[in-house]
Amino acid sequence: MKAVTYTMYGPPSVLQLKEISKPVPKGDEVLIKIVCSTVSAAVIWKRKGKFPGSMLFTILLRLFSGLTKPGIPVLGVEFSGVVEETGNEVTLFKKGDAVYGTTTGLKQGAYAEYVCVPEKRKGGVLIKKPELLSFEQAAVLPVGAMTALDLLKKAKIQKGQQVLIYGASGSVGTYAVQISKYFGAFVTGVCSSANTALVFSLGAENVIDYTTNDISKSGKKHDIVFDAVGKLKKSTWKKLLKGGGRFCTVKSTTSEKTEYLEILHKMIAEGKLLPVIDKVYSFDQISEAHQYVDSGHKKGNVVISH
């Protein structure tokens, strides 16, 4: 089967399209023909072998991915697809089911024609795709949406709270805006002027252009400050929090839970949550897709169509 592999850390040019062996499902595994994958921040970090702005997280990343070179040669964290075959112990899925999930903890990522995923496992998810979602929308849901939901739950978000979301136009940020609104919060989004209309359209009551405004001098205090891009300095977010307020950042460990996806499905069914897709690239354009995400101008999510 075709797969995008890499043997060294570095720029998008390290990604190479090659033929590798098609996986065979074990008894508890599901073989999935992948329809879509994504270019998420986690994939970029793994490709570079570096976590931005944190030596500690870079070390942890290398311990998992490989100290000097990638230990898992096929990238890709989230996917959507169709069940091709199931192991004899599988009970939740059958051939032909439309599914989506993550490859967290597996020895192969989603940048391939096929992937084998255990029916149940710790640290990753696999679930049937709601009919309301396209394969493109389903592929971009797991990482960004679960990260936003997990962090907002840990921050104990409540109705009527003031929530500031820094990086509101990115993958995690666009979900954080919508999820905060779902819980009844008053949302202030922070992004560049090019993305203010998008953030308003997601439900934010107020949007601040960080390129022309120093948010630390706004004078407004918030119950929750959510750093969706991991770039806020402590000296800045402390000025933005009310006494007893909570700060949360994507530079934190988060959990992948099937129950989170079920909550997100409910939001989608109620018309309260919609994945934001910026661009869709073909499988043989993965390097170009990574170049685009590296540019820092992405809105929401970038999809790879297999």
Side-chain angles (χ1 to χ4, degrees), residues 240-262:
L240 298 168
L241 271 182
K242 293 180 180 179
R246 294 176 181 268
F247 172 71
C248 51
T249 174
V250 291
K251 285 186 175 180
S252 306
T253 56
T254 56
S255 300
E256 296 183 13
K257 300 178 181 179
T258 302
E259 65 188 70
Y260 281 172
L261 295 178
E262 292 169 347

Side-chain angles (χ1 to χ4, degrees), residues 68-104:
T68 59
K69 63 180 182 179
I72 301 173
V74 180
L75 281 170
V77 176
E78 43 189 357
F79 65 86
S80 63
V82 177
V83 174
E84 179 91 357
E85 185 182 344
T86 61
N88 56 17
E89 300 171 21
V90 173
T91 60
L92 299 178
F93 304 95
K94 65 181 185 303
K95 182 178 174 131
D97 283 344
V99 296
Y100 75 99
T102 65
T103 62
T104 306

Side-chain angles (χ1 to χ4, degrees), residues 60-74:
L60 293 173
L61 176 68
R62 289 291 186 106
L63 286 173
F64 177 79
S65 299
L67 288 175
T68 59
K69 63 180 182 179
I72 301 173
V74 180

Side-chain angles (χ1 to χ4, degrees), residues 8-22:
M8 65 180 71
Y9 297 119
S13 59
V14 301
L15 303 175
Q16 302 293 324
L17 186 62
K18 292 186 177 181
E19 286 284 337
I20 66 172
S21 299
K22 179 180 176 181

Side-chain angles (χ1 to χ4, degrees), residues 47 60 66 80 121 127 133 143 149 157 164 167 235 274 294:
R47 191 203 76 218
L60 293 173
S80 63
R121 73 187 191 278
I127 194 170
L133 291 177
V143 174
L149 181 59
I157 188 169
L164 181 138
S235 58
L274 185 66
D294 280 357

